[in-house]
Amino acid sequence: MVTGIVGVALAMGVGLWYSQTYAYYERVDGLEEITAYGDAFPVSNYRGITADTSPLKLRACFDVDWDYVQSDTYKDAATPLQAPGWFDCFDAQTLTTDIASGEAVVLQAERNQPFGFSRFIAQYPDGRAFMWRQMNECGLAQFEGENLPESCTEEEASLSAPLGESRSFAAALPEVSAPEPVDLVIALTPVGGGAPEDILQEAVTALGGGTQSLWACFRTPMSTAMLTETYEVLDAVAPEKPTAILPCFDAEAVTFDVDRGDAVAFLGEKDVVPGVDRVVAVYEDGRALAWNQKRTN
């Protein structure tokens, strides 16, 4: 019987690992051209991954024979997002270092298609190139419930909502003042148990008293890949709607995103009050949500 229980637990663990690592991605290889600035440009040796569930799933590696023009225009804006480990041609850390040092130049291939996201290409002098999509200032403003910057017009905001992440923007909510940042420590429970450990966090906004009722939004520089290896992952969540308007927190959206693999849910702290656990969901681009949830088992 013990062997059977261990086998079931192992199978569930493997299934959860696969869903977070491989599922929801589609391989796209062999493309001969990509679009940039509205025009098509030839490429070779294209290897890519993408998904219908989220604009942020896009990663690609390819070769180009375009002119190499040194420019710092998008150097500070570009933030390559970590790819799943099995897509080994795309190394976000190396790209980030090379962009910062000037060894690679960044081009903005597309902006606000879909709204709130920009597509970037990092090009090396030897013709190697890498592409990804990240959230821009328009998307971040919507996520955090702030007024759109001047560069993000109402016309752009009325475009079709982004795939996968679209529900997270809560665009239909009435205009309200954004909650003030609060002093809230976010911690996660290590794999195998033990005391919750504080994680890096910034720009925390929250509602609730921090015990039985809590809804919070924040950002973390820690990658989902690293967090998944270190902290206990949950395969399903059931956040309740905030008792007041918190534009950055959409309970339905985060449930959907965790279910589809667009966000990873972690056990924060068990029994913040008896029978209530803190849950934290983290997106690939560093956005994160936290809430207190009644335990069902």
Side-chain angles (χ1 to χ4, degrees):
M1 181 175 179
V2 172
T3 302
I5 294 174
V6 172
V8 171
L10 178 61
M12 291 178 63
V14 170
L16 179 58
W17 169 81
Y18 178 86
S19 69
Q20 299 296 345
T21 307
Y22 287 92
Y24 310 111
Y25 285 98
E26 176 186 353
R27 287 298 300 257
V28 180
D29 296 332
L31 292 184
E32 296 182 352
E33 61 181 28
I34 63 169
T35 58
Y37 323 112
D39 293 323
F41 292 86
V43 301
S44 58
N45 303 319
Y46 186 98
R47 296 172 57 194
I49 53 175
T50 187
D52 291 336
T53 57
S54 169
L56 296 173
K57 298 283 189 184
L58 173 68
R59 307 287 192 285
C61 315
F62 48 92
D63 296 325
V64 302
D65 59 2
W66 314 336
D67 292 337
Y68 182 84
V69 180
Q70 190 67 47
S71 172
D72 292 336
T73 303
Y74 300 106
K75 180 177 180 178
D76 294 332
T79 307
L81 302 180
Q82 188 65 45
W86 53 267
F87 190 67
D88 55 5
C89 70
F90 192 103
D91 187 327
Q93 184 174 358
T94 298
L95 285 171
T96 299
T97 300
D98 291 348
I99 291 169
S101 66
E103 294 183 41
V105 66
V106 179
L107 317 171
Q108 181 176 261
E110 196 173 54
R111 173 179 162 83
N112 283 330
Q113 295 293 331
F115 182 78
F117 299 87
S118 293
R119 179 161 54 90
F120 288 99
I121 298 171
Q123 179 186 354
Y124 286 83
D126 63 3
R128 290 176 297 135
F130 303 86
M131 181 169 65
W132 71 94
R133 190 180 284 114
Q134 66 184 61
M135 187 172 286
N136 59 31
E137 73 277 12
C138 307
L140 290 173
Q142 284 192 324
F143 171 71
E144 294 171 359
E146 299 177 353
N147 293 328
L148 289 176
E150 292 183 5
S151 59
C152 309
T153 66
E154 292 183 6
E155 181 179 358
E156 287 177 311
S158 68
L159 295 173
S160 58
L163 299 173
E165 310 295 320
S166 59
R167 301 186 185 186
S168 302
F169 290 142
L173 292 174
E175 292 187 6
V176 295
S177 299
E180 294 295 326
V182 298
D183 185 14
L184 177 67
V185 176
I186 303 295
L188 300 181
T189 297
V191 173
E197 299 174 352
D198 296 351
I199 64 171
L200 298 175
Q201 64 196 58
E202 57 187 31
V204 180
T205 57
L207 289 173
T211 54
Q212 185 161 351
S213 297
L214 174 77
W215 298 269
C217 310
F218 63 99
R219 296 188 63 80
T220 178
M222 304 177 74
S223 71
T224 54
M226 187 277 291
L227 292 172
T228 301
E229 293 178 356
T230 310
Y231 300 105
E232 184 173 339
V233 175
L234 304 177
D235 59 357
V237 298
E240 297 182 354
K241 294 182 179 179
T243 54
I245 293 177
L246 183 63
C248 61
F249 196 106
D250 185 326
E252 180 182 357
V254 70
T255 302
F256 175 86
D257 291 344
V258 169
D259 182 61
R260 294 294 295 269
D262 295 337
V264 182
F266 300 91
L267 175 62
E269 300 175 62
K270 200 166 187 177
D271 286 321
V272 287
V273 294
V276 176
D277 297 335
R278 180 159 300 161
V279 178
V280 178
V282 181
Y283 289 85
E284 291 179 275
D285 63 352
R287 291 174 297 134
L289 306 174
W291 65 92
N292 291 349
Q293 176 177 300
K294 292 180 180 179
R295 195 162 57 250
T296 57
N297 50 31

